Amino acid sequence: MRFENEYLTYLQYEKNLEKNTIISYKNDLKHFKVYLDELDKDELTIDDSELLFFIDLFKDYKTTSINHLITFLHSYYNFLYLKNYCDIDKSSILDYPRKEKRLVNYLSINEVYLLVNECDNLRDMLIILLLFKTGIRVSELIKISLNDIDFEQYTIKIHGKGNKERLVLFDHEVKEILIDYINEFNPKHFLLINSKNKQIDRFYVYELIKNLAIKAKINKNVYPHILRHSFATYMLECGCDIRLLQVLLGHEDITTTTIYTHILTKHLKECYNMYHPLGKGE
């Protein structure tokens, strides 16, 4: 491939993508590079049928994996087009396969507090409650600094994907635990630190939640992102506008937020059955 390194630099410094996103695109690049080498071609000389066949090689993979690969190709060829390395965007012929619609998994409020009750210290308790009560991602959680927290306004400045900032809210329970945690652990810069006074990483959070779920005997697949799903679910159930939820979650496109609309449908049915004269008793 002729433009691999320049593309990765473009993702990092011009698109400001997260490190993990760049790594996943880099893996897609490797697959594409192997395929091009086998054809004895490069990204500019490959033809439409060969590009389509590349996607077809992954037909037995999950739909999400195929979609990710197509997203990479759209990104790569858009880069080539923007930089005037090609006259047309070759990836325009690629269509996304339909995703299988799956209901979002979430925890009940009782299950969330079962996790909290199994925590051995204030830091772990704070991790669970921040994820559940603010809906932030793990990558955003570990980057919170003391300067990001406004105790008077009950807000935290979150540094999201692409270095975009937003404010999330917390409640009195989180405020009390925050204060007690800071007094006990005495962090200097990053809020959440380990025993060596270093910033915790996302692997710590994954292992923590997995182990807490085992201790709490929760018979579900429990992982950090399920707390974000739980936050979104209960916000909608309580009547939160979906566009406000989009802002709180930091979704650039509202279509991403609509994965939670099954909750709205359930809520509307309940309201219909409760209030509409034709719906009562159904």
Side-chain angles (χ1 to χ4, degrees), residues 146-185:
L146 295 176
N147 291 333
D148 292 326
I149 304 169
D150 186 331
F151 286 97
E152 291 187 4
Q153 298 297 321
Y154 289 79
T155 62
I156 303 174
K157 183 191 295 181
I158 298 300
H159 306 275
K161 291 184 175 182
N163 291 327
K164 292 181 180 178
E165 294 181 352
R166 71 183 189 280
L167 290 179
V168 297
L169 303 165
F170 58 88
D171 62 10
H172 290 285
E173 180 184 26
V174 171
K175 181 178 180 178
E176 290 178 4
I177 295 174
L178 268 170
I179 292 171
D180 290 342
Y181 162 78
I182 291 171
N183 288 336
E184 180 178 333
F185 282 75

Side-chain angles (χ1 to χ4, degrees), residues 11 27 66 74 83 96 122 146 177 188 196 206 230:
L11 294 180
N27 289 333
I66 298 172
H74 281 311
K83 299 297 182 181
Y96 291 98
L122 287 169
L146 295 176
I177 295 174
K188 303 300 182 186
K196 298 180 180 178
Y206 294 149
S230 304

Side-chain angles (χ1 to χ4, degrees), residues 8-215:
L8 294 173
T9 301
Y10 162 80
L11 294 180
Q12 182 176 358
Y13 296 107
E14 293 189 44
K15 298 294 286 183
N16 293 317
L17 296 186
E18 292 282 326
K19 182 180 178 181
N20 291 336
T21 304
I22 294 174
I23 290 172
S24 67
Y25 277 15
K26 198 171 182 178
N27 289 333
D28 291 331
L29 266 172
K30 289 178 183 177
H31 291 304
F32 194 39
K33 188 175 187 299
V34 169
Y35 179 67
L36 291 173
D37 289 343
E38 289 174 353
L39 293 177
D40 196 23
K41 289 192 173 186
D42 63 30
E43 56 269 66
L44 300 183
T45 57
I46 187 174
D47 63 34
D48 290 356
S49 61
E50 290 164 337
L51 193 59
L52 288 168
F53 185 73
F54 173 64
I55 296 299
D56 195 54
L57 291 173
F58 297 86
K59 63 185 177 183
D60 294 329
Y61 282 59
K62 290 183 179 178
T63 303
T64 51
S65 299
I66 298 172
N67 283 342
H68 189 281
L69 191 61
I70 293 173
T71 297
F72 150 69
L73 288 170
H74 281 311
S75 170
Y76 187 59
Y77 277 101
N78 183 57
F79 154 76
L80 295 175
Y81 180 73
L82 287 174
K83 299 297 182 181
N84 296 316
Y85 293 134
C86 61
D87 296 328
I88 60 169
D89 180 352
K90 288 178 178 287
S91 69
S92 60
I93 63 167
L94 300 176
D95 291 325
Y96 291 98
R98 286 190 176 185
K99 286 185 179 179
E100 299 173 4
K101 288 191 176 181
R102 293 184 298 172
L103 295 182
V104 173
N105 292 321
Y106 62 96
L107 297 177
S108 69
I109 294 175
N110 180 60
E111 287 170 332
V112 172
Y113 279 92
L114 286 176
L115 296 178
V116 172
N117 293 338
E118 292 296 337
C119 292
D120 294 328
N121 56 65
L122 287 169
R123 177 195 56 219
D124 295 348
M125 189 182 298
L126 185 59
I127 287 171
I128 302 299
L129 290 177
L130 279 174
L131 290 172
F132 174 61
K133 294 203 172 190
T134 66
I136 58 177
R137 305 174 178 92
V138 173
S139 59
E140 297 168 340
L141 172 80
I142 63 177
K143 289 190 288 190
I144 295 174
S145 71
L146 295 176
N147 291 333
D148 292 326
I149 304 169
D150 186 331
F151 286 97
E152 291 187 4
Q153 298 297 321
Y154 289 79
T155 62
I156 303 174
K157 183 191 295 181
I158 298 300
H159 306 275
K161 291 184 175 182
N163 291 327
K164 292 181 180 178
E165 294 181 352
R166 71 183 189 280
L167 290 179
V168 297
L169 303 165
F170 58 88
D171 62 10
H172 290 285
E173 180 184 26
V174 171
K175 181 178 180 178
E176 290 178 4
I177 295 174
L178 268 170
I179 292 171
D180 290 342
Y181 162 78
I182 291 171
N183 288 336
E184 180 178 333
F185 282 75
N186 195 28
K188 303 300 182 186
H189 176 62
F190 288 109
L191 172 67
L192 295 164
I193 57 174
N194 58 26
S195 58
K196 298 180 180 178
N197 293 320
K198 301 288 186 182
Q199 174 192 17
I200 65 166
D201 57 32
R202 57 196 178 94
F203 299 108
Y204 176 84
V205 181
Y206 294 149
E207 286 298 311
L208 169 68
I209 291 176
K210 182 177 74 174
N211 291 330
L212 289 177
I214 293 171
K215 287 182 182 179

